[in-house]
Amino acid sequence: MLFAVQMDIDLPVEMDPAVKADTLAREKAYSQELQQAGEWVHIWRCVGRYSNLSIFDVADNDRLHEILWNLPLFPYMTIEVTPLARHPSDIALLD
Ligand SMILES: O=C(O)C[C@H]1C=CC(=O)O1
């Protein structure tokens, strides 16, 4: 199942720099592990914002929830999930 997920990040200005660096490093490793596994298909920076737009290809809603819940930055995120379906004008459907 495909999902578009927008993650808006809002880190507290008073966050301890060492905690911040550790959290960001763990977030990067976790994200890249899921990209290697093929579940986190795309990650794009939203221009001008501390946000990303990502595409996930996961087994079901529960798996996406598990992935998002375990993001190290989850406590500092506002997340919007959009389930995706094939578009009838997609030329890939001609294959
Ligand atoms: O910078 C971000 O968009 C937040 C985050 C999501 C994955 C990752 O590596 O960082």
Side-chain angles (χ1 to χ4, degrees):
M1 296 174 71
L2 288 170
F3 295 90
V5 179
Q6 183 168 327
M7 305 176 205
D8 301 325
I9 300 99
D10 187 14
L11 294 175
V13 282
E14 70 277 9
M15 193 174 194
D16 179 86
V19 172
K20 179 178 174 180
D22 176 67
T23 306
L24 293 178
R26 287 187 294 111
E27 179 83 12
K28 184 172 185 174
Y30 180 68
S31 168
Q32 292 185 336
E33 183 182 308
L34 290 163
Q35 290 174 57
Q36 297 281 359
E39 291 188 301
W40 196 324
V41 183
H42 290 281
I43 179 166
W44 295 95
R45 179 62 76 216
C46 301
V47 174
R49 288 185 280 149
Y50 192 6
S51 301
N52 74 72
L53 183 62
S54 292
I55 304 294
F56 288 86
D57 187 0
V58 293
D60 52 28
N61 290 0
D62 289 337
R63 176 59 184 148
L64 182 64
H65 184 75
E66 180 181 39
I67 287 171
L68 299 178
W69 186 262
N70 285 297
L71 288 165
L73 284 176
F74 182 83
Y76 312 105
M77 285 179 169
T78 301
I79 296 176
E80 185 177 324
V81 176
T82 306
L84 301 175
R86 298 299 292 267
H87 193 287
S89 299
D90 185 351
I91 61 169
L93 291 177
L94 299 174
D95 295 344

